[in-house]
Amino acid sequence: MSRLDSMLRRLTAQRDGLNWAAAQIDNMDGDVLDLGLGNGRTYDHLREMLPQRRIWVMDRVLQCHPDSRPPAQDFLQGEAEPMLRKLAEAGRTIALAHYDFGRGIKSEDVAEAARLSPLIAQVMRPGGLLISGQPLTCFSQIQGPETIAPGRYLFYRA
């Protein structure tokens, strides 16, 4: 499979997974958390799908497309550990989280996801959903939408 085809498959799985998860949390209270803003495409999709929810966004640097810039009060800039602690201390409850941190070095990305998982667990609402491109710990892995090949994107319940 070409890198382009692989990327398209990943982005389609991400979109389909987020759409599925948004429907799953329809009757659940809680905010949304986008871990890894990047260019802002996922954040833009989340705010379009879930306009009634507060969407927290976390990244080391704000370098997204200007049309995808979150409000300053919802952007947590810096390393993930203190930002997750800040959310937990503020008593924020997350119904849906999308995990997209990574530098592209699989072993390092997997290790970071495992290290951050307990901190993410502290802000998740019981029964909340996590969608991730990396394996997470501390959560129950569940089956996502049938349109997504197993292992292509990962789905968890808090």
Side-chain angles (χ1 to χ4, degrees):
M1 174 179 302
S2 74
R3 290 182 62 222
L4 177 60
D5 284 335
S6 179
M7 182 178 128
L8 289 170
R9 195 175 92 168
R10 180 182 61 81
L11 290 174
T12 299
Q14 181 181 350
R15 183 206 55 215
D16 292 352
L18 290 169
N19 291 348
W20 173 84
Q24 299 294 310
I25 66 159
D26 191 46
N27 293 319
M28 185 182 294
D29 290 333
D31 297 339
V32 175
L33 176 60
D34 187 18
L35 294 141
L37 176 63
N39 189 277
R41 286 181 294 266
T42 302
Y43 168 71
D44 185 59
H45 189 71
L46 286 168
R47 71 180 176 186
E48 184 175 301
M49 284 189 323
L50 300 164
Q52 74 285 9
R53 303 254 184 182
R54 184 165 191 182
I55 302 172
W56 296 94
V57 183
M58 193 176 295
D59 212 328
R60 290 179 180 100
V61 179
L62 181 60
Q63 57 186 12
C64 64
H65 188 280
D67 292 342
S68 299
R69 184 173 288 226
Q73 67 271 18
D74 297 339
F75 181 65
L76 302 168
Q77 184 171 350
E79 293 300 317
E81 293 91 338
M83 296 302 110
L84 286 164
R85 284 188 190 99
K86 181 178 178 178
L87 277 179
E89 289 166 5
R92 303 314 303 190
T93 303
I94 305 300
L96 171 61
H98 175 254
Y99 184 93
D100 196 21
F101 285 143
R103 295 182 178 98
I105 302 170
K106 189 66 173 172
S107 62
E108 292 179 16
D109 293 344
V110 168
E112 181 179 44
R115 182 174 46 78
L116 293 175
S117 289
L119 293 169
I120 297 168
Q122 290 179 10
V123 298
M124 291 302 299
R125 171 192 172 90
L129 295 176
L130 296 97
I131 312 301
S132 178
Q134 301 296 335
L136 301 172
T137 62
C138 306
F139 307 104
S140 300
Q141 190 167 359
I142 61 171
Q143 177 66 42
E146 293 179 12
T147 58
I148 299 174
R152 187 55 173 154
Y153 231 74
L154 304 170
F155 300 85
Y156 299 93
R157 188 168 304 282

